[in-house]
Amino acid sequence: QVQLVESGGGLVQAGGSLRLSCVASGRTFSIGAMGWFRQAPGKEREFITGISWTGGRTSYSDSVKGRFTISGDSAKSTVSLEMNSLKPEDTAVYYCAARTTANMNYDYWGQGTQVTVSS
């Protein structure tokens, strides 16, 4: 099993920045990638960014590309999300996630942290 704990989040004005962090524990040697998802009220959870421990490849959803940056340290099993130029529509609960090397889907989830962007 892998446990994920997020930190960061909070309330920020539109145009501002926030940084989220996540640390994994447990069977971290099995992790192949980590990422971030978010879920806004009344909407489905959506993938926003991920980083592979193989080669450090990153991917972003169109909604955050150019504004958000993911970084990670496979040795420490940590991942961070730098969020800039925040918009009210970025308001959501943000979840850290991890998937094992044997799985293409994210299997492990953090408890979530609230990000609220005021206009």
Side-chain angles (χ1 to χ4, degrees):
Q1 293 293 323
V2 173
Q3 295 78 43
L4 303 173
V5 178
E6 302 112 333
S7 60
L11 175 64
V12 65
Q13 288 188 335
S17 300
L18 279 175
R19 182 180 178 88
L20 306 181
S21 297
C22 176
V23 58
S25 60
R27 297 173 61 89
T28 57
F29 61 86
S30 67
I31 295 175
M34 294 183 71
W36 293 92
F37 290 68
R38 69 184 181 186
Q39 187 168 21
K43 295 187 177 181
E44 294 186 355
R45 188 176 299 186
E46 65 167 337
F47 170 85
I48 55 173
T49 183
I51 182 168
S52 170
W53 285 163
T54 303
R57 290 174 298 169
T58 59
S59 59
Y60 296 90
S61 68
D62 289 343
S63 61
V64 305
K65 193 175 297 182
R67 300 187 298 121
F68 291 11
T69 303
I70 189 171
S71 59
D73 186 331
S74 59
K76 297 180 179 179
S77 298
T78 59
V79 66
S80 296
L81 180 64
E82 186 72 32
M83 304 183 292
N84 298 315
S85 302
L86 283 161
K87 306 174 183 180
E89 50 264 44
D90 293 318
T91 295
V93 177
Y94 284 69
Y95 296 90
C96 176
R99 65 172 178 81
T100 63
T101 54
N103 197 344
M104 292 302 295
N105 298 316
Y106 285 84
D107 345 63
Y108 299 103
W109 300 88
Q111 79 283 0
T113 185
Q114 178 70 46
V115 172
T116 302
V117 184
S118 63
S119 57

